[in-house]
Amino acid sequence: MKTRKALVALAALMLMLTGCGTTEDPAGAAPTGGTGADPVTVTDARGEEVQLDGPAERVVGTEWNVVENLTTLGVQPVGVADIKGYEAWVTAGDLDGTATDIGTRGEPSFDTIASLDPDLIVGTTDLSDTVIQQLEELAPVVVVESADASRQIAQAKDNLQLVAQATGTEAQADEAIAAFDAAVAEGKAALEEAGLTGSRVAFADGWVADGKVSIRPFAEGSLMTDINTELGLVNPWTMEGDPAYGLAATDVEGLTPLDADSFVYITNDADGDFTEQLADNAVWQSLPFVQSGEVHRLADGIWMFGGPASMTQYVEALVSSLTS
């Protein structure tokens, strides 16, 4: 009698445990990975269809614009290239301290990435085919277009939306893009009210090497110049930029033909302000925008090659600086 009662109790216990979901999933259950949601397929910049078991959660970013986009979408990457550099140059998307540094942006550590067990690696077309192929041996890889001088703003939006598709965060992408569009509309109105529509604004960055100042104009086709155009400003750079980023190269003497109302630049305290080296430079001091006090350094941490979040930062900082 006691044996029969024990068997009944055991059967009841097994039934309760089954109801609590402690037994194995039945055949045909949803795939593991991601959140157990439906599989996801995205087509990346290469035209490759990348299949995921579900929205990616453990994501590695090999480039800073990718990492910025992930954080914009509320996804904290498990691996980031050059974390120290990212935190110095990019403030649009904060890391929470849990990411592992995977090495440099051009040469990530495959061993480190493998140890992170990612379900997605996001890279850019700046990576070589060889590196991308090696990464594909570790996890699915989505490649975004690094830059396109024929459509920088649209490309930046496309990149954010592609990462959002892979991570199931499309709503967050829509919000970030809408915030940028709103900032442009408000900035354009503010510049018009200040009488600055049509102003010739030259954007650049620069650095000092071996005591010599090098300046990098963001020419026609660069992201910053495309944004300036959307704001109703005019690009005064006449030199031609590269086909991907719209960047050119010059020195201080090369600025003498520049017909600009304002000269705007971004640098970083981590690398030093190149204009400080020009305090006693006669050519620099003779430039009209220098003499008129229309040289504007924007805040550190606005990434000049970033996504919609950095682009929004740039619009707000530029308009504030020009109208103050």
Side-chain angles (χ1 to χ4, degrees):
M1 192 70 176
K2 290 183 179 180
T3 301
R4 181 179 178 184
K5 289 182 178 180
L7 290 173
V8 171
L10 178 60
L13 177 60
M14 292 300 295
L15 180 61
M16 180 180 68
L17 291 174
T18 301
C20 293
T22 58
T23 57
E24 293 182 357
D25 291 334
T32 58
T35 57
D38 292 335
V40 174
T41 301
V42 298
T43 302
D44 70 4
R46 302 168 295 172
E48 296 283 343
E49 283 193 353
V50 181
Q51 297 183 345
L52 306 171
D53 290 340
E57 295 179 344
R58 296 186 59 80
V59 188
V60 167
T62 69
E63 183 54 76
W64 292 347
N65 62 339
V66 167
V67 175
E68 176 199 317
N69 282 343
L70 286 167
T71 56
T72 296
L73 297 170
V75 178
Q76 282 293 324
V78 296
V80 173
D82 186 6
I83 290 177
K84 183 178 180 181
Y86 177 87
E87 292 179 335
W89 284 96
V90 189
T91 58
D94 292 335
L95 297 173
D96 65 3
T98 61
T100 296
D101 195 305
I102 63 168
T104 67
R105 291 179 285 163
E107 298 181 354
S109 167
F110 302 112
D111 288 341
T112 301
I113 294 174
S115 71
L116 297 174
D117 191 27
D119 47 35
L120 176 65
I121 301 168
V122 185
T124 75
T125 51
D126 281 344
L127 288 175
S128 69
D129 291 341
T130 300
V131 171
I132 292 174
Q133 289 168 5
Q134 289 176 288
L135 290 173
E136 287 178 323
E137 296 177 2
L138 307 177
V141 176
V142 165
V143 177
V144 302
E145 190 74 38
S146 57
D148 183 347
S150 70
R151 56 188 301 274
Q152 296 288 21
I153 294 174
Q155 185 63 62
K157 291 179 178 180
D158 287 350
N159 288 349
L160 179 65
Q161 290 172 326
L162 179 57
V163 176
Q165 290 170 15
T167 56
T169 54
E170 291 91 338
Q172 290 88 332
D174 291 342
E175 290 176 5
I177 290 170
F180 167 71
D181 290 340
V184 169
E186 293 170 7
K188 184 175 183 178
L191 291 171
E192 183 176 5
E193 184 177 353
L196 295 174
T197 299
S199 293
R200 301 180 302 276
V201 176
F203 182 85
D205 67 354
W207 56 88
V208 181
D210 298 325
K212 182 179 180 180
V213 173
S214 295
I215 295 171
R216 184 166 60 176
F218 281 59
E220 191 72 26
S222 67
L223 177 59
M224 302 295 98
T225 291
D226 282 359
I227 294 173
N228 289 358
T229 301
E230 290 294 308
L231 290 169
L233 303 172
V234 173
N235 168 38
W237 295 114
T238 57
M239 56 190 68
E240 185 176 349
D242 72 273
Y245 291 94
L247 304 175
T250 189
D251 54 16
V252 178
E253 286 73 18
L255 298 179
T256 53
L258 181 61
D259 183 18
D261 299 310
S262 301
F263 182 89
V264 179
Y265 70 101
I266 289 176
T267 184
N268 197 285
D269 284 339
D271 290 350
D273 187 337
F274 67 92
T275 66
E276 294 176 356
Q277 301 293 318
L278 301 174
D280 299 322
N281 185 289
V283 174
W284 174 257
Q285 295 299 333
S286 71
L287 298 173
F289 47 81
V290 176
Q291 294 184 343
S292 65
E294 287 298 327
V295 176
H296 305 273
R297 175 182 173 178
L298 302 187
D300 286 7
I302 301 174
W303 186 225
M304 299 162 285
F305 310 98
S310 280
M311 290 154 54
T312 299
Q313 282 185 327
Y314 172 74
V315 169
E316 294 172 349
L318 176 68
V319 172
S320 175
S321 186
L322 294 179
T323 59
S324 62

